Amino acid sequence: MKLEIDESRCKGCNLCTLVCPYKIYRPGSRPNRKGIYVPEMDRPERCPNCRLQELYGRRLCGMCALICPDQAIKWVPEKPYEPMKVVIEY
Amino acid sequence: MQGNIACAEGALAAGCNFFGGYPITPSTEVAEHMASRMPKITGSCFIQMEDEIASMAAIIGAAWTGARSMTATSGPGFSLMMENIGYAVMTETPCVLVNIQRGGPSTGQPTMGAQGDMMQVRFGSHGDYSIIALCPSSVQECFDLTAKAFNLADRFRTPVFLMADEVIGHMREKLEIPDSVEIIRPKTLPEGTLPFTAGPDGVPGFAPFGIGRFTHVTGLTHDERGYPDTTNPACHESLVKRLVNKIENARHEIADYTIVNENARYVFVCYGAPVRTVKEVVDRMKIPDTGYLQLKTVWPFPEELLLRFPNVQAFIVPEMNLGMISREVERHVSVRVIPVGRIGGELHPPEELIQAVKIAGGDV
Amino acid sequence: MRNEWLRSDRLPHIYCAGCGNGTIMNCVLEAITQTGWDRTRTVFLSGIGCSSRAPGYIMTDSLHTTHGRAIAFATGVKMADPSLHVVVFTGDGDLAAIGGNHFIHGCRRNIDITVVCMNNHIYGMTGGQGSPTTPLGKTSTTTPYGAEEAPFDLVELAIAAGANYVARWTSYHVKQLTDAVYDGLLTPGFSLIEVRCQCPTSYGRRNKYREPTDYMTYLKTNAILKRKWEEMERSGENISPDSFPVGEFVRRSRPVMGVPDEA
């Protein structure tokens, strides 16, 4: 799972920066095309839902997505992690 | 049977299964009768609301679940309902309102008849719109027209008003209840059609709640999807013109009337309780050269009927108000129009109408 | 999933940046997905105001009615077809001012609907006028020198009028709010969930909560759990006038209306 902020919906209120217990979000530094400072993500792989949702089979935490007034935060499925095939060259 | 009870029976015969009401003289008997009858009919609901605003709201809500809903009230309650009547027009909600008119303004004469709400029913809520209003002049017509009102409401998706008055509402007469009455339900919304896309007659199909069409209903100016679009002049214009035209263009279809003595020179245009005096004068006393046009449908005003009297020299309009429909008649004809307004709660005596005929004939 | 309940083609919605209404909408939809209700058999209603625009973004049948009358309309819908699930979104002005009478009568009848009141202490859509829940001393465009009228306590009002389920949370307490809405939806009879929420544009701007996060911090610090609140009251502890109790206040089974027959 991967966290994603939908830039077409985000209005830059920064509520996600307040509620995330892992401080994954921080206020944006650059305005986007609509002039909105969309929050940036700091090492989103720390999000427990990203890592553990499939293991537990249910939504974990989810504060950011619940509080986001603009329905802009969601998780998108990622391909399961495949250990990189290592090719050894002789 | 009493006129009010006949209204209630007419509604039940037409399959009315939701009544939201609030007691008000002189319409209370309608609610009382519904309260005793409806709980014994499966799938029917009578509820006494906290005020007339809520009554009107409740019947609109019920109508959107597909129920045939109705309320009954009188002047002061009718004024309270105005806001939600506009809402019903804008959202094209089929419902029936019975207004047993009493003397106004304000609390006025609760136990006396009047026809003072005829303009309010047409123009009372804000904005441009059109409605259908029927006027019974006897207990039998109370029954027949109430049943018919439901069909018109469903056919045109609009609130339909039964504008009776205290005289008719509290009158006791013989009533013949037919074995069955005609029932016309609204067109269904075809699959794949947006909820407010209308056909050539301007009436969209009806998709009530709970059938999975996800209809969004709003009193805001909305597009065909039902979504608000409040700042686009074209959207507002096309919506409101459609709401008005779907009724105004169908005035021939809606018109319900009786014409007696087409060749008369002095023609009474009458509706509601004064019809009774007119019948006395024309049919029984046979005052020479008189005829009448009884309007059972007052709104939309069927003005083409006024052209059906080739020899007419004057239209005489007896009303229990100071002249409302007489103005509407004046708008459409070039001959003399004599309003005979009478307020206070009593019917015109025949002499008053005979006097008006004399005035029309230049005898006075 | 919550997303299936949204009319995605209408998003982003009209709410200002940081408005609490969107959060509350999320929580209600989350609670509804937990109930497993059929979308085709659920109806959302609302009156007029910011809060009342919410049903327009939800993919169900919805009725956006006249100002204050949503509960009266809901009574009609529910009584005419008790098998429908009925949820009403309303605001503080909509519910407590113009719709006050319908509100208490809805509670008295104990009709089986769930009312979610987005209480932002202000008339947001018309630009920030004082409402019946504007706290004493707070400024709005119609109370420029501070509100002088005592506000309504919607929770006490609903309890006194007879509602079966009454809770209060804030737009900060999203998890608790979701649970409360879930309980409200499943409790037969009238359920009121009052949600204190931020209006950064109209209320916050004039009352020193300029950023949405400022008001969130206020909600976080001043919302006191009901049990703790009662303890504080008992021990005579000094309670800040800004504070308010949150939690579930009533869950009971008075006679109800509009519940489908068990047949």
Side-chain angles (χ1 to χ4, degrees), chain B residues 171-207:
Chain B
M171 177 182 288
R172 284 170 200 276
E173 269 183 338
K174 201 177 91 177
L175 168 68
E176 268 180 47
I177 296 182
D179 292 335
S180 68
V181 298
E182 187 191 17
I183 291 179
I184 305 165
R185 290 312 322 255
K187 289 186 294 194
T188 49
L189 183 66
E191 207 59 50
T193 311
L194 294 171
F196 291 92
T197 303
D201 59 352
V203 186
F206 188 52

Short mmCIF file of all heavy atoms in Angstrom, two decimals, chain B residues 171-207:
data_model
loop_
_atom_site.label_atom_id
_atom_site.label_comp_id
_atom_site.label_asym_id
_atom_site.label_seq_id
_atom_site.Cartn_x
_atom_site.Cartn_y
_atom_site.Cartn_z
N MET B 171 -70.51 21.76 4.10
CA MET B 171 -71.84 21.51 3.57
C MET B 171 -72.11 20.00 3.58
O MET B 171 -71.21 19.20 3.36
CB MET B 171 -71.87 22.04 2.15
CG MET B 171 -73.16 21.80 1.43
SD MET B 171 -72.97 22.45 -0.22
CE MET B 171 -73.00 24.20 0.12
N ARG B 172 -73.33 19.63 3.87
CA ARG B 172 -73.70 18.21 3.81
C ARG B 172 -74.62 17.99 2.63
O ARG B 172 -75.64 18.65 2.49
CB ARG B 172 -74.37 17.79 5.11
CG ARG B 172 -73.39 17.62 6.23
CD ARG B 172 -74.07 17.44 7.57
NE ARG B 172 -73.13 17.74 8.63
CZ ARG B 172 -72.26 16.88 9.12
NH1 ARG B 172 -72.20 15.66 8.63
NH2 ARG B 172 -71.44 17.24 10.08
N GLU B 173 -74.22 17.06 1.78
CA GLU B 173 -74.98 16.74 0.57
C GLU B 173 -74.87 15.26 0.31
O GLU B 173 -74.03 14.57 0.89
CB GLU B 173 -74.39 17.47 -0.65
CG GLU B 173 -74.97 18.83 -0.91
CD GLU B 173 -74.38 19.44 -2.16
OE1 GLU B 173 -73.28 19.07 -2.59
OE2 GLU B 173 -75.03 20.32 -2.71
N LYS B 174 -75.66 14.83 -0.66
CA LYS B 174 -75.57 13.43 -1.06
C LYS B 174 -74.30 13.23 -1.88
O LYS B 174 -73.93 14.08 -2.69
CB LYS B 174 -76.79 13.06 -1.90
CG LYS B 174 -77.05 11.57 -1.94
CD LYS B 174 -78.30 11.25 -2.72
CE LYS B 174 -77.92 11.02 -4.17
NZ LYS B 174 -79.03 10.64 -5.03
N LEU B 175 -73.65 12.11 -1.63
CA LEU B 175 -72.43 11.83 -2.38
C LEU B 175 -72.53 10.42 -2.95
O LEU B 175 -72.88 9.48 -2.25
CB LEU B 175 -71.21 11.92 -1.45
CG LEU B 175 -69.89 11.40 -1.98
CD1 LEU B 175 -69.39 12.26 -3.12
CD2 LEU B 175 -68.86 11.33 -0.87
N GLU B 176 -72.23 10.29 -4.22
CA GLU B 176 -72.17 8.97 -4.83
C GLU B 176 -70.72 8.58 -4.99
O GLU B 176 -69.97 9.23 -5.73
CB GLU B 176 -72.86 8.98 -6.19
CG GLU B 176 -74.32 8.61 -6.12
CD GLU B 176 -74.96 8.64 -7.49
OE1 GLU B 176 -74.35 8.09 -8.43
OE2 GLU B 176 -76.04 9.24 -7.61
N ILE B 177 -70.33 7.52 -4.30
CA ILE B 177 -68.95 7.09 -4.41
C ILE B 177 -68.86 6.02 -5.50
O ILE B 177 -69.54 5.00 -5.41
CB ILE B 177 -68.44 6.54 -3.06
CG1 ILE B 177 -68.46 7.68 -2.03
CG2 ILE B 177 -67.05 5.95 -3.20
CD1 ILE B 177 -67.94 7.30 -0.67
N PRO B 178 -68.06 6.27 -6.53
CA PRO B 178 -67.96 5.27 -7.60
C PRO B 178 -67.23 4.02 -7.11
O PRO B 178 -66.53 4.05 -6.10
CB PRO B 178 -67.14 5.99 -8.68
CG PRO B 178 -66.41 7.06 -7.95
CD PRO B 178 -67.22 7.43 -6.76
N ASP B 179 -67.41 2.92 -7.85
CA ASP B 179 -66.76 1.67 -7.46
C ASP B 179 -65.25 1.81 -7.50
O ASP B 179 -64.53 1.26 -6.68
CB ASP B 179 -67.20 0.53 -8.37
CG ASP B 179 -68.66 0.19 -8.15
OD1 ASP B 179 -69.15 0.48 -7.03
OD2 ASP B 179 -69.31 -0.31 -9.08
N SER B 180 -64.78 2.54 -8.50
CA SER B 180 -63.33 2.76 -8.55
C SER B 180 -63.09 4.09 -9.25
O SER B 180 -63.95 4.56 -10.00
CB SER B 180 -62.65 1.63 -9.32
OG SER B 180 -63.02 1.70 -10.67
N VAL B 181 -61.96 4.70 -8.97
CA VAL B 181 -61.62 5.94 -9.67
C VAL B 181 -60.36 5.67 -10.49
O VAL B 181 -59.55 4.81 -10.16
CB VAL B 181 -61.39 7.12 -8.71
CG1 VAL B 181 -62.64 7.43 -7.93
CG2 VAL B 181 -60.22 6.87 -7.80
N GLU B 182 -60.24 6.46 -11.55
CA GLU B 182 -59.09 6.31 -12.43
C GLU B 182 -57.82 6.71 -11.68
O GLU B 182 -57.81 7.71 -10.96
CB GLU B 182 -59.29 7.23 -13.64
CG GLU B 182 -58.26 7.06 -14.71
CD GLU B 182 -58.35 8.17 -15.76
OE1 GLU B 182 -58.96 9.22 -15.48
OE2 GLU B 182 -57.79 7.98 -16.83
N ILE B 183 -56.78 5.93 -11.83
CA ILE B 183 -55.52 6.26 -11.17
C ILE B 183 -54.40 6.32 -12.21
O ILE B 183 -54.15 5.35 -12.92
CB ILE B 183 -55.18 5.24 -10.06
CG1 ILE B 183 -56.18 5.39 -8.91
CG2 ILE B 183 -53.76 5.44 -9.56
CD1 ILE B 183 -55.98 4.44 -7.77
N ILE B 184 -53.79 7.49 -12.33
CA ILE B 184 -52.67 7.65 -13.25
C ILE B 184 -51.42 7.91 -12.42
O ILE B 184 -51.35 8.91 -11.71
CB ILE B 184 -52.90 8.85 -14.21
CG1 ILE B 184 -54.22 8.69 -14.94
CG2 ILE B 184 -51.74 8.99 -15.19
CD1 ILE B 184 -54.70 9.96 -15.62
N ARG B 185 -50.46 7.03 -12.49
CA ARG B 185 -49.22 7.24 -11.73
C ARG B 185 -48.18 7.94 -12.61
O ARG B 185 -48.32 7.98 -13.82
CB ARG B 185 -48.65 5.89 -11.23
CG ARG B 185 -49.43 5.19 -10.13
CD ARG B 185 -49.84 6.01 -8.92
NE ARG B 185 -48.92 7.01 -8.43
CZ ARG B 185 -48.18 6.89 -7.32
NH1 ARG B 185 -48.19 5.79 -6.62
NH2 ARG B 185 -47.42 7.88 -6.91
N PRO B 186 -47.15 8.52 -12.00
CA PRO B 186 -46.17 9.23 -12.82
C PRO B 186 -45.43 8.29 -13.77
O PRO B 186 -45.28 7.10 -13.50
CB PRO B 186 -45.21 9.83 -11.79
CG PRO B 186 -45.54 9.21 -10.49
CD PRO B 186 -46.87 8.58 -10.58
N LYS B 187 -44.96 8.88 -14.87
CA LYS B 187 -44.09 8.12 -15.78
C LYS B 187 -42.86 7.68 -15.01
O LYS B 187 -42.33 8.44 -14.20
CB LYS B 187 -43.59 9.03 -16.90
CG LYS B 187 -44.59 9.46 -17.90
CD LYS B 187 -43.89 10.23 -19.02
CE LYS B 187 -43.31 11.55 -18.53
NZ LYS B 187 -42.92 12.47 -19.60
N THR B 188 -42.38 6.49 -15.29
CA THR B 188 -41.13 6.11 -14.64
C THR B 188 -39.96 6.69 -15.43
O THR B 188 -40.09 6.99 -16.61
CB THR B 188 -40.99 4.58 -14.56
OG1 THR B 188 -41.26 4.06 -15.85
CG2 THR B 188 -41.95 3.98 -13.56
N LEU B 189 -38.88 6.84 -14.73
CA LEU B 189 -37.69 7.39 -15.36
C LEU B 189 -37.02 6.28 -16.17
O LEU B 189 -36.60 5.27 -15.61
CB LEU B 189 -36.74 7.91 -14.28
CG LEU B 189 -35.46 8.58 -14.73
CD1 LEU B 189 -35.75 9.87 -15.46
CD2 LEU B 189 -34.57 8.87 -13.53
N PRO B 190 -36.91 6.47 -17.49
CA PRO B 190 -36.31 5.39 -18.28
C PRO B 190 -34.86 5.15 -17.86
O PRO B 190 -34.17 6.07 -17.44
CB PRO B 190 -36.37 5.93 -19.71
CG PRO B 190 -37.30 7.09 -19.68
CD PRO B 190 -37.28 7.63 -18.29
N GLU B 191 -34.45 3.92 -18.00
CA GLU B 191 -33.07 3.53 -17.66
C GLU B 191 -32.10 4.38 -18.49
O GLU B 191 -32.33 4.63 -19.67
CB GLU B 191 -32.89 2.05 -17.99
CG GLU B 191 -31.85 1.32 -17.17
CD GLU B 191 -32.13 1.38 -15.68
OE1 GLU B 191 -33.27 1.08 -15.25
OE2 GLU B 191 -31.20 1.72 -14.94
N GLY B 192 -31.06 4.85 -17.83
CA GLY B 192 -30.05 5.61 -18.55
C GLY B 192 -30.41 7.06 -18.78
O GLY B 192 -29.71 7.78 -19.48
N THR B 193 -31.53 7.51 -18.22
CA THR B 193 -31.92 8.91 -18.37
C THR B 193 -31.59 9.66 -17.08
O THR B 193 -31.74 9.12 -15.99
CB THR B 193 -33.43 9.02 -18.64
OG1 THR B 193 -33.75 8.12 -19.67
CG2 THR B 193 -33.82 10.42 -19.04
N LEU B 194 -31.13 10.90 -17.23
CA LEU B 194 -30.85 11.70 -16.04
C LEU B 194 -32.16 12.05 -15.35
O LEU B 194 -33.20 12.19 -16.00
CB LEU B 194 -30.11 12.98 -16.44
CG LEU B 194 -28.70 12.75 -17.00
CD1 LEU B 194 -28.15 14.05 -17.58
CD2 LEU B 194 -27.77 12.22 -15.92
N PRO B 195 -32.11 12.21 -14.01
CA PRO B 195 -33.37 12.33 -13.26
C PRO B 195 -34.21 13.56 -13.60
O PRO B 195 -35.40 13.58 -13.30
CB PRO B 195 -32.92 12.35 -11.80
CG PRO B 195 -31.46 12.61 -11.83
CD PRO B 195 -30.95 12.11 -13.13
N PHE B 196 -33.61 14.59 -14.16
CA PHE B 196 -34.42 15.77 -14.48
C PHE B 196 -34.39 16.09 -15.97
O PHE B 196 -34.51 17.23 -16.38
CB PHE B 196 -33.99 16.97 -13.62
CG PHE B 196 -34.36 16.79 -12.18
CD1 PHE B 196 -33.46 16.24 -11.28
CD2 PHE B 196 -35.62 17.13 -11.73
CE1 PHE B 196 -33.81 16.04 -9.95
CE2 PHE B 196 -35.98 16.93 -10.40
CZ PHE B 196 -35.08 16.39 -9.51
N THR B 197 -34.20 15.05 -16.79
CA THR B 197 -34.33 15.22 -18.23
C THR B 197 -35.78 15.02 -18.61
O THR B 197 -36.36 13.97 -18.35
CB THR B 197 -33.46 14.19 -18.98
OG1 THR B 197 -32.12 14.34 -18.53
CG2 THR B 197 -33.52 14.43 -20.47
N ALA B 198 -36.36 16.06 -19.21
CA ALA B 198 -37.78 16.01 -19.49
C ALA B 198 -38.03 15.62 -20.94
O ALA B 198 -37.19 15.86 -21.81
CB ALA B 198 -38.42 17.35 -19.22
N GLY B 199 -39.18 15.02 -21.18
CA GLY B 199 -39.61 14.73 -22.53
C GLY B 199 -40.18 15.99 -23.18
O GLY B 199 -40.07 17.08 -22.62
N PRO B 200 -40.80 15.84 -24.35
CA PRO B 200 -41.34 17.01 -25.05
C PRO B 200 -42.42 17.74 -24.24
O PRO B 200 -42.63 18.93 -24.43
CB PRO B 200 -41.92 16.42 -26.35
CG PRO B 200 -41.86 14.95 -26.21
CD PRO B 200 -40.92 14.60 -25.13
N ASP B 201 -43.09 17.02 -23.34
CA ASP B 201 -44.13 17.69 -22.55
C ASP B 201 -43.55 18.42 -21.34
O ASP B 201 -44.28 19.02 -20.56
CB ASP B 201 -45.20 16.68 -22.10
CG ASP B 201 -44.62 15.57 -21.24
OD1 ASP B 201 -43.38 15.50 -21.13
OD2 ASP B 201 -45.39 14.76 -20.69
N GLY B 202 -42.25 18.38 -21.18
CA GLY B 202 -41.61 19.11 -20.08
C GLY B 202 -41.66 18.39 -18.75
O GLY B 202 -41.24 18.94 -17.73
N VAL B 203 -42.19 17.17 -18.74
CA VAL B 203 -42.31 16.45 -17.47
C VAL B 203 -41.30 15.30 -17.45
O VAL B 203 -41.38 14.41 -18.28
CB VAL B 203 -43.74 15.89 -17.29
CG1 VAL B 203 -43.89 15.28 -15.91
CG2 VAL B 203 -44.77 16.99 -17.50
N PRO B 204 -40.35 15.33 -16.53
CA PRO B 204 -39.39 14.23 -16.46
C PRO B 204 -40.02 12.99 -15.82
O PRO B 204 -41.00 13.09 -15.10
CB PRO B 204 -38.27 14.78 -15.57
CG PRO B 204 -38.82 15.95 -14.87
CD PRO B 204 -40.09 16.37 -15.54
N GLY B 205 -39.45 11.84 -16.11
CA GLY B 205 -39.88 10.62 -15.43
C GLY B 205 -39.53 10.69 -13.96
O GLY B 205 -38.67 11.48 -13.56
N PHE B 206 -40.21 9.88 -13.17
CA PHE B 206 -40.07 10.00 -11.72
C PHE B 206 -39.30 8.80 -11.19
O PHE B 206 -39.66 7.65 -11.44
CB PHE B 206 -41.47 10.05 -11.09
CG PHE B 206 -41.47 10.36 -9.62
CD1 PHE B 206 -40.78 11.45 -9.13
CD2 PHE B 206 -42.17 9.56 -8.72
CE1 PHE B 206 -40.80 11.75 -7.77
CE2 PHE B 206 -42.19 9.85 -7.37
CZ PHE B 206 -41.50 10.95 -6.90
N ALA B 207 -38.20 9.09 -10.48
CA ALA B 207 -37.42 8.02 -9.86
C ALA B 207 -37.45 8.22 -8.37
O ALA B 207 -36.66 8.97 -7.80
CB ALA B 207 -35.98 8.07 -10.36
#
